[in-house]
Amino acid sequence: MSQKISQDEMKKAAAIEALAFVKNNSIVGVGTGSTVNHFIDALVDIKYKIAGAVSSSQESTKRLKAHGIEVFDLNNIDTLDVYVDGADEVTKHLHMIKGGGAALTREKIVAAVAKEFICIADESKQVEVLGNFPLPVEVIPMARSYVARELVKLGGDPEYRQGVVTDNGNVILDVHNLEITDPIALEQSINAIVGVVTNGLFAHRGANTLIIGSPDGTKVITLP
Ligand code: 5RP
């Protein structure tokens, strides 16, 4: 008889699998979210083998520190071997939508410094085409209405994420109903709107490896 495995157990299994990608004595790039929280908890088992971490959010920093893992300032780091983070949606090309937890800008910055992006997720995050999950866009507060009007011109329906202020003091617009057939081009077009800090498309720099937790076990997909 096959046992039912919960979404959270799939996230945890993917997170634990990611430990194999962490190199001895390295500083690990750490994302944000419930899947990454499992990764941070799993890091405790190898914390004496790593030099520490660079974090993508105040939330992850707090959790890392609570586990006794040193958190470094990215400005003092030239390069990271790996960055481990979750996703809201991911395609077979390892393009992603991220930012459900509003940490997209810091996530994109830390990912940019890393040689390898390891995406960890449960199987519900795999999609054929991105866009069912509303695309988060981090915006300078005074530009909110202007950016929203520009996003409508791109075919989206922006919705202000009420009550959320990012770690950078900005606001989030969640863009519904976008047809994301060319994620690299759309990522660039949205980032070119004045007042946008960044958007949650991670296509220009997607993941290198995807670890998916599923009822049949974890699957590791690495792009050539
Ligand atoms: C946070 C993110 C997360 O990686 C994304 O929202 C997935 O979250 P979870 O692991 O909780 O499903 O981009 O900004």
Side-chain angles (χ1 to χ4, degrees):
M1 203 170 64
S2 68
Q3 282 229 313
K4 233 177 148 48
I5 171 167
S6 70
Q7 185 182 21
D8 195 55
E9 284 167 326
M10 290 187 247
K11 289 180 180 194
K12 189 173 179 183
I16 290 169
E17 190 83 28
L19 288 181
F21 290 82
V22 176
K23 297 185 174 64
N24 283 352
N25 305 315
S26 67
I27 296 172
V28 190
V30 175
T32 299
S34 57
T35 317
V36 167
N37 282 345
H38 286 303
F39 176 69
I40 296 172
D41 295 348
L43 265 184
V44 172
D45 291 341
I46 61 160
K47 76 174 178 183
Y48 298 107
K49 292 190 197 161
I50 60 170
V54 167
S55 166
S56 63
S57 64
Q58 289 170 5
E59 182 195 324
S60 291
T61 298
K62 203 170 146 202
R63 199 173 187 98
L64 285 159
K65 286 186 174 169
H67 285 320
I69 296 168
E70 188 172 353
V71 178
F72 291 88
D73 183 335
L74 184 64
N75 287 308
N76 299 327
I77 310 290
D78 292 333
T79 182
L80 295 166
D81 285 319
V82 295
Y83 174 67
V84 178
D85 201 355
D88 298 300
E89 285 185 346
V90 57
T91 68
K92 64 178 179 208
H93 303 295
L94 308 199
H95 296 152
M96 295 163 282
I97 285 184
K98 294 183 42 53
L104 60 158
T105 300
R106 293 190 185 195
E107 290 173 344
K108 210 175 260 198
I109 294 167
V110 184
V113 177
K115 289 184 201 150
E116 263 192 283
F117 188 133
I118 316 291
C119 177
I120 51 177
D122 67 89
E123 64 172 7
S124 71
K125 307 296 182 68
Q126 283 186 298
V127 295
E128 282 293 317
V129 181
L130 297 172
N132 198 31
F133 189 92
L135 177 66
V137 180
E138 180 165 350
V139 177
I140 303 284
M142 71 170 287
R144 193 184 83 220
S145 297
Y146 166 71
V147 170
R149 290 192 296 275
E150 294 299 304
L151 289 167
V152 169
K153 287 183 195 163
L154 290 177
D157 294 322
E159 183 189 3
Y160 175 34
R161 203 184 291 183
Q162 296 280 349
V164 170
V165 177
T166 70
D167 285 355
N168 314 306
N170 299 313
V171 296
I172 299 282
L173 294 173
D174 291 306
V175 192
H176 299 255
N177 303 321
L178 280 172
E179 226 184 274
I180 309 183
T181 47
D182 187 345
I184 296 175
L186 187 64
E187 181 178 356
Q188 284 167 347
S189 304
I190 295 177
N191 283 345
I193 301 170
V194 175
V196 167
V197 180
T198 198
N199 72 83
L201 276 168
F202 283 58
H204 175 68
R205 200 273 188 259
N208 303 91
T209 295
L210 171 63
I211 306 176
I212 284 287
S214 82
D216 310 320
T218 52
K219 294 173 201 160
V220 180
I221 300 155
T222 299
L223 286 185

